[in-house]
Amino acid sequence: MDIAVRAIDSSGSIRAFAVSTTGLAREAAAIHKCSATAAAALARVLTAACIMGMTLKDEKDLLTIQVKGGGPIGKIIAVANSRVEVKGYADFPQADLPLNPLGKLDVGGLVGRNGYLLVIKDLGLKEPYIGQVNLVSGEIGDDITAYYSYSEQVPTATALGVLVDRDLAILAAGGYMIQLMPDADPGIADRLEKRLKDIEAVSSLVNRGYTPEQVLEYVLDDKNIRILEKRSLKLVCDCSRERIERVLISLGKEEIRNILEQEGKAEITCHFCNQRYVFQAEELKNMVSQ
Ligand SMILES: [Zn+2]
């Protein structure tokens, strides 16, 4: 089962998050019929959304990540709430690229590097909080790190990984994020930076059966981390017939009449879960007359 944990190190200087997302990555790839590279790209953004969802405080808070790098996959969107229920999609999930020169899935190439990563936090205030950074590599992990460093000014290290088999099936997916507390000893940052350079990849750890707690113990080299929160992760779409109907109604009478004349019915597919909703002529007529 996919799990998310939030923790603090034994010295109280580092807050840390880790998630295992293998199930979620496979499920999203199946729903969207993703190519192997697109599956990895979408899984990384979903994994980031799970981690960032853990930073939300209120029950109703909602976080959206939008990545647009000008690459063949188009835009990738992921949404998470504070219960770490996530959903996501990519514009062109079937787009693919050959393996990169290192023999790895070319996520950076598929996403592209000429664009931005946008984070929208709806915290129930009048206006949502919006932060944006230019993409660093399109590999997502680096881009999330850049987002926290520039947009939120929190020293952060992020690792997001998806491991695929020879046949390109997803073997493991997961990630972690580490942040220094404002009053942390600068020596800790140096030590962490050195350690992060040559530790094992997170997807490989998850593949070897490491739980998110064990991933953090290993990454922080600390057997006494304190787990503050642990949740199971779910891919959930909150679309419904009523919600889609409200969207249709919001198009206005004129537009609904156009659909009626041209199509005879309205067919709408949810981007996030591919659920198809059909509204027959009679229903459309009712919307117009109301
Ligand atoms: Zn849906």
Side-chain angles (χ1 to χ4, degrees):
M1 193 171 46
D2 293 343
I3 298 284
V5 298
R6 182 165 66 85
I8 190 159
D9 78 323
S10 56
S11 74
S13 319
I14 301 167
R15 66 174 193 156
F17 306 83
V19 294
S20 58
T21 52
T22 311
L24 214 135
R26 286 179 183 152
E27 205 183 327
I31 289 172
H32 298 288
K33 299 180 181 65
C34 289
S35 72
T37 319
L42 179 58
R44 285 190 199 173
V45 179
L46 283 168
T47 300
C50 292
I51 291 172
M52 293 170 78
M54 296 276 287
T55 68
L56 298 173
K57 295 193 175 73
D58 201 75
E59 187 74 2
K60 285 182 183 153
D61 292 353
L62 206 61
L63 178 136
T64 303
I65 304 175
Q66 192 183 112
V67 180
K68 197 173 178 194
I73 197 169
K75 179 169 83 261
I76 307 175
I77 306 254
V79 180
N81 62 22
S82 58
R83 295 183 297 282
V84 205
E85 294 165 341
V86 291
K87 57 180 183 177
Y89 72 89
D91 283 344
F92 304 106
Q94 272 106 50
D96 207 356
L97 285 177
L99 298 179
N100 69 19
L102 298 170
K104 301 206 161 159
L105 295 174
D106 190 2
V107 172
L110 197 71
V111 171
R113 295 166 184 94
N114 298 313
Y116 61 82
L117 179 141
L118 187 74
V119 175
I120 304 164
K121 289 188 201 174
D122 187 346
L123 308 177
L125 305 169
K126 242 184 207 161
E127 300 283 333
Y129 165 88
I130 300 177
Q132 183 176 334
V133 282
N134 290 330
L135 291 176
V136 178
S137 68
E139 297 278 345
I140 314 298
D142 303 336
D143 306 305
I144 296 287
T145 294
Y147 163 77
Y148 275 103
S149 303
Y150 299 124
S151 198
E152 298 204 5
Q153 271 113 44
V154 182
T156 300
T158 318
L160 307 169
V162 180
L163 190 70
V164 296
D165 210 346
R166 277 172 201 282
D167 64 359
L168 301 178
I170 294 171
L171 286 174
Y176 60 81
M177 183 168 84
I178 291 163
Q179 297 186 320
L180 281 189
M181 298 289 202
D183 49 0
D185 178 351
I188 292 178
D190 291 343
R191 214 181 47 200
L192 251 182
E193 204 179 327
K194 282 202 193 87
R195 175 156 179 81
L196 293 178
K197 268 187 190 135
D198 47 28
I199 58 173
E200 190 173 339
V202 62
S203 55
S204 162
L205 293 170
V206 174
N207 191 43
R208 292 206 290 119
Y210 274 54
T211 63
E213 295 95 321
Q214 289 168 329
V215 167
L216 289 182
E217 285 174 359
Y218 166 75
V219 170
L220 297 173
D221 195 17
D222 184 347
K223 284 280 169 222
N224 297 305
I225 60 167
R226 211 148 44 89
I227 301 296
L228 304 175
E229 189 183 353
K230 182 172 174 176
R231 286 179 179 274
S232 63
L233 295 171
K234 273 194 292 266
L235 199 63
V236 178
C237 191
D238 51 358
C239 69
S240 65
R241 202 173 164 78
E242 291 70 35
R243 185 176 280 206
I244 302 285
E245 185 174 344
R246 282 202 298 272
V247 173
L248 261 175
I249 289 169
S250 73
L251 295 176
K253 288 184 182 183
E254 192 67 21
E255 188 57 34
I256 299 174
R257 265 195 214 101
N258 280 342
I259 296 171
L260 248 177
E261 273 167 32
Q262 283 162 22
E263 317 281 344
K265 62 181 174 183
E267 274 188 52
I268 294 165
T269 302
C270 172
H271 284 312
F272 288 99
C273 68
N274 276 346
Q275 170 76 43
R276 204 165 132 259
Y277 296 92
V278 181
F279 295 85
Q280 301 296 348
E282 207 52 39
E283 294 172 274
L284 295 177
K285 281 177 199 158
N286 275 335
M287 287 179 209
V288 172
S289 64
Q290 268 165 26

